[in-house]
PDB file of all heavy atoms in Angstrom:
ATOM      1  N   GLN P  15     -30.356  -3.917  19.103  1.00  0.00           N
ATOM      2  CA  GLN P  15     -31.774  -3.857  18.751  1.00  0.00           C
ATOM      3  C   GLN P  15     -32.003  -3.312  17.331  1.00  0.00           C
ATOM      4  O   GLN P  15     -32.707  -2.298  17.154  1.00  0.00           O
ATOM      5  CB  GLN P  15     -32.536  -2.987  19.763  1.00  0.00           C
ATOM      6  CG  GLN P  15     -32.395  -3.410  21.215  1.00  0.00           C
ATOM      7  CD  GLN P  15     -33.101  -4.727  21.515  1.00  0.00           C
ATOM      8  OE1 GLN P  15     -34.202  -4.975  21.030  1.00  0.00           O
ATOM      9  NE2 GLN P  15     -32.473  -5.587  22.294  1.00  0.00           N
ATOM     10  N   THR P  17     -33.618  -2.530  13.897  1.00  0.00           N
ATOM     11  CA  THR P  17     -35.013  -2.552  13.457  1.00  0.00           C
ATOM     12  C   THR P  17     -35.170  -3.496  12.273  1.00  0.00           C
ATOM     13  O   THR P  17     -34.180  -3.825  11.586  1.00  0.00           O
ATOM     14  CB  THR P  17     -35.459  -1.150  13.031  1.00  0.00           C
ATOM     15  OG1 THR P  17     -34.664  -0.746  11.897  1.00  0.00           O
ATOM     16  CG2 THR P  17     -35.266  -0.159  14.164  1.00  0.00           C
ATOM     17  N   LYS P  33     -18.696 -14.359   6.911  1.00  0.00           N
ATOM     18  CA  LYS P  33     -19.052 -13.718   8.171  1.00  0.00           C
ATOM     19  C   LYS P  33     -19.627 -14.730   9.146  1.00  0.00           C
ATOM     20  O   LYS P  33     -19.904 -15.882   8.796  1.00  0.00           O
ATOM     21  CB  LYS P  33     -20.062 -12.588   7.960  1.00  0.00           C
ATOM     22  CG  LYS P  33     -21.517 -13.039   7.729  1.00  0.00           C
ATOM     23  CD  LYS P  33     -21.765 -13.531   6.326  1.00  0.00           C
ATOM     24  CE  LYS P  33     -23.214 -13.899   6.078  1.00  0.00           C
ATOM     25  NZ  LYS P  33     -23.428 -14.441   4.709  1.00  0.00           N
ATOM     26  N   ASP P  54     -17.604  -4.589   2.936  1.00  0.00           N
ATOM     27  CA  ASP P  54     -18.328  -4.092   1.766  1.00  0.00           C
ATOM     28  C   ASP P  54     -18.778  -2.644   1.972  1.00  0.00           C
ATOM     29  O   ASP P  54     -19.199  -2.257   3.055  1.00  0.00           O
ATOM     30  CB  ASP P  54     -19.549  -4.977   1.519  1.00  0.00           C
ATOM     31  CG  ASP P  54     -20.245  -4.626   0.233  1.00  0.00           C
ATOM     32  OD1 ASP P  54     -19.820  -5.122  -0.808  1.00  0.00           O
ATOM     33  OD2 ASP P  54     -21.193  -3.834   0.289  1.00  0.00           O
ATOM     34  N   LYS P  55     -18.656  -1.860   0.921  1.00  0.00           N
ATOM     35  CA  LYS P  55     -19.009  -0.438   0.998  1.00  0.00           C
ATOM     36  C   LYS P  55     -20.465  -0.247   1.408  1.00  0.00           C
ATOM     37  O   LYS P  55     -20.792   0.614   2.213  1.00  0.00           O
ATOM     38  CB  LYS P  55     -18.755   0.238  -0.347  1.00  0.00           C
ATOM     39  CG  LYS P  55     -19.076   1.724  -0.358  1.00  0.00           C
ATOM     40  CD  LYS P  55     -18.758   2.312  -1.712  1.00  0.00           C
ATOM     41  CE  LYS P  55     -18.970   3.834  -1.695  1.00  0.00           C
ATOM     42  NZ  LYS P  55     -20.340   4.215  -1.413  1.00  0.00           N
ATOM     43  N   LYS P  98     -11.880  -2.471  25.529  1.00  0.00           N
ATOM     44  CA  LYS P  98     -11.104  -1.236  25.659  1.00  0.00           C
ATOM     45  C   LYS P  98     -10.899  -0.532  24.326  1.00  0.00           C
ATOM     46  O   LYS P  98     -10.765   0.693  24.275  1.00  0.00           O
ATOM     47  CB  LYS P  98      -9.753  -1.541  26.302  1.00  0.00           C
ATOM     48  CG  LYS P  98      -9.849  -1.889  27.785  1.00  0.00           C
ATOM     49  CD  LYS P  98      -8.463  -2.070  28.381  1.00  0.00           C
ATOM     50  CE  LYS P  98      -8.554  -2.384  29.875  1.00  0.00           C
ATOM     51  NZ  LYS P  98      -7.199  -2.551  30.475  1.00  0.00           N
ATOM     52  N   THR P 131      21.285   0.311  -1.136  1.00  0.00           N
ATOM     53  CA  THR P 131      21.635  -0.977  -1.742  1.00  0.00           C
ATOM     54  C   THR P 131      22.489  -0.780  -2.994  1.00  0.00           C
ATOM     55  O   THR P 131      23.480  -1.485  -3.204  1.00  0.00           O
ATOM     56  CB  THR P 131      20.361  -1.755  -2.101  1.00  0.00           C
ATOM     57  OG1 THR P 131      19.567  -1.946  -0.929  1.00  0.00           O
ATOM     58  CG2 THR P 131      20.695  -3.123  -2.696  1.00  0.00           C
ATOM     59  N   ILE P 138      29.799   3.387  -4.942  1.00  0.00           N
ATOM     60  CA  ILE P 138      29.767   4.812  -5.223  1.00  0.00           C
ATOM     61  C   ILE P 138      29.316   5.562  -3.972  1.00  0.00           C
ATOM     62  O   ILE P 138      28.431   5.102  -3.234  1.00  0.00           O
ATOM     63  CB  ILE P 138      28.829   5.130  -6.409  1.00  0.00           C
ATOM     64  CG1 ILE P 138      28.956   6.599  -6.812  1.00  0.00           C
ATOM     65  CG2 ILE P 138      27.390   4.779  -6.090  1.00  0.00           C
ATOM     66  CD1 ILE P 138      28.222   6.931  -8.098  1.00  0.00           C
ATOM     67  N   ILE P 155       9.644   7.359  -9.017  1.00  0.00           N
ATOM     68  CA  ILE P 155      10.987   7.113  -9.521  1.00  0.00           C
ATOM     69  C   ILE P 155      12.023   7.923  -8.748  1.00  0.00           C
ATOM     70  O   ILE P 155      11.839   9.116  -8.505  1.00  0.00           O
ATOM     71  CB  ILE P 155      11.082   7.445 -11.024  1.00  0.00           C
ATOM     72  CG1 ILE P 155      10.180   6.487 -11.820  1.00  0.00           C
ATOM     73  CG2 ILE P 155      12.514   7.349 -11.521  1.00  0.00           C
ATOM     74  CD1 ILE P 155      10.061   6.839 -13.282  1.00  0.00           C
ATOM     75  N   THR P 160      24.254  13.899 -12.078  1.00  0.00           N
ATOM     76  CA  THR P 160      25.526  14.601 -11.939  1.00  0.00           C
ATOM     77  C   THR P 160      25.800  15.323 -13.252  1.00  0.00           C
ATOM     78  O   THR P 160      25.217  14.976 -14.283  1.00  0.00           O
ATOM     79  CB  THR P 160      26.681  13.643 -11.601  1.00  0.00           C
ATOM     80  OG1 THR P 160      27.842  14.393 -11.271  1.00  0.00           O
ATOM     81  CG2 THR P 160      26.998  12.718 -12.765  1.00  0.00           C
ATOM     82  N   MET P 161      26.636  16.337 -13.221  1.00  0.00           N
ATOM     83  CA  MET P 161      26.967  17.083 -14.431  1.00  0.00           C
ATOM     84  C   MET P 161      28.227  16.510 -15.070  1.00  0.00           C
ATOM     85  O   MET P 161      29.217  16.221 -14.376  1.00  0.00           O
ATOM     86  CB  MET P 161      27.166  18.557 -14.114  1.00  0.00           C
ATOM     87  CG  MET P 161      25.936  19.231 -13.507  1.00  0.00           C
ATOM     88  SD  MET P 161      24.449  19.101 -14.542  1.00  0.00           S
ATOM     89  CE  MET P 161      24.942  20.117 -15.956  1.00  0.00           C
ATOM     90  N   GLY P 185       6.950  -6.396  -5.045  1.00  0.00           N
ATOM     91  CA  GLY P 185       7.836  -5.682  -4.137  1.00  0.00           C
ATOM     92  C   GLY P 185       9.246  -5.506  -4.672  1.00  0.00           C
ATOM     93  O   GLY P 185      10.162  -5.202  -3.910  1.00  0.00           O
ATOM     94  N   THR P 192      24.539   3.859 -14.631  1.00  0.00           N
ATOM     95  CA  THR P 192      25.379   4.142 -15.788  1.00  0.00           C
ATOM     96  C   THR P 192      26.565   4.989 -15.359  1.00  0.00           C
ATOM     97  O   THR P 192      26.412   6.172 -15.070  1.00  0.00           O
ATOM     98  CB  THR P 192      24.597   4.897 -16.878  1.00  0.00           C
ATOM     99  OG1 THR P 192      23.378   4.207 -17.153  1.00  0.00           O
ATOM    100  CG2 THR P 192      25.419   4.993 -18.156  1.00  0.00           C
ATOM    101  N   ARG P 211      22.022  -3.335 -14.637  1.00  0.00           N
ATOM    102  CA  ARG P 211      20.575  -3.411 -14.437  1.00  0.00           C
ATOM    103  C   ARG P 211      20.309  -4.357 -13.277  1.00  0.00           C
ATOM    104  O   ARG P 211      20.602  -5.551 -13.375  1.00  0.00           O
ATOM    105  CB  ARG P 211      19.889  -3.883 -15.713  1.00  0.00           C
ATOM    106  CG  ARG P 211      20.186  -3.011 -16.934  1.00  0.00           C
ATOM    107  CD  ARG P 211      19.735  -3.709 -18.216  1.00  0.00           C
ATOM    108  NE  ARG P 211      19.977  -2.877 -19.390  1.00  0.00           N
ATOM    109  CZ  ARG P 211      21.125  -2.845 -20.056  1.00  0.00           C
ATOM    110  NH1 ARG P 211      22.145  -3.608 -19.659  1.00  0.00           N
ATOM    111  NH2 ARG P 211      21.267  -2.086 -21.120  1.00  0.00           N
ATOM    112  N   ASN P 234       9.908  -5.138 -17.179  1.00  0.00           N
ATOM    113  CA  ASN P 234       9.673  -5.118 -15.738  1.00  0.00           C
ATOM    114  C   ASN P 234       9.664  -3.701 -15.186  1.00  0.00           C
ATOM    115  O   ASN P 234       8.892  -3.380 -14.269  1.00  0.00           O
ATOM    116  CB  ASN P 234      10.733  -5.952 -15.025  1.00  0.00           C
ATOM    117  CG  ASN P 234      10.583  -7.430 -15.288  1.00  0.00           C
ATOM    118  OD1 ASN P 234       9.506  -7.896 -15.639  1.00  0.00           O
ATOM    119  ND2 ASN P 234      11.666  -8.172 -15.135  1.00  0.00           N
ATOM    120  N   ASN P 252      -9.855   6.510  -2.990  1.00  0.00           N
ATOM    121  CA  ASN P 252     -10.363   6.075  -1.688  1.00  0.00           C
ATOM    122  C   ASN P 252     -10.422   7.239  -0.699  1.00  0.00           C
ATOM    123  O   ASN P 252     -11.391   7.406   0.051  1.00  0.00           O
ATOM    124  CB  ASN P 252      -9.479   4.965  -1.117  1.00  0.00           C
ATOM    125  CG  ASN P 252      -9.575   3.676  -1.892  1.00  0.00           C
ATOM    126  OD1 ASN P 252     -10.476   3.508  -2.712  1.00  0.00           O
ATOM    127  ND2 ASN P 252      -8.644   2.772  -1.660  1.00  0.00           N
TER     128      ASN P 252
END
Side-chain angles (χ1 to χ4, degrees):
Q15 304 291 319
T17 63
K33 77 282 183 183
D54 187 84
K55 181 178 185 298
K98 289 185 179 181
T131 302
I138 188 171
I155 295 173
T160 189
M161 300 303 293
T192 309
R211 303 167 178 86
N234 290 337
N252 292 347

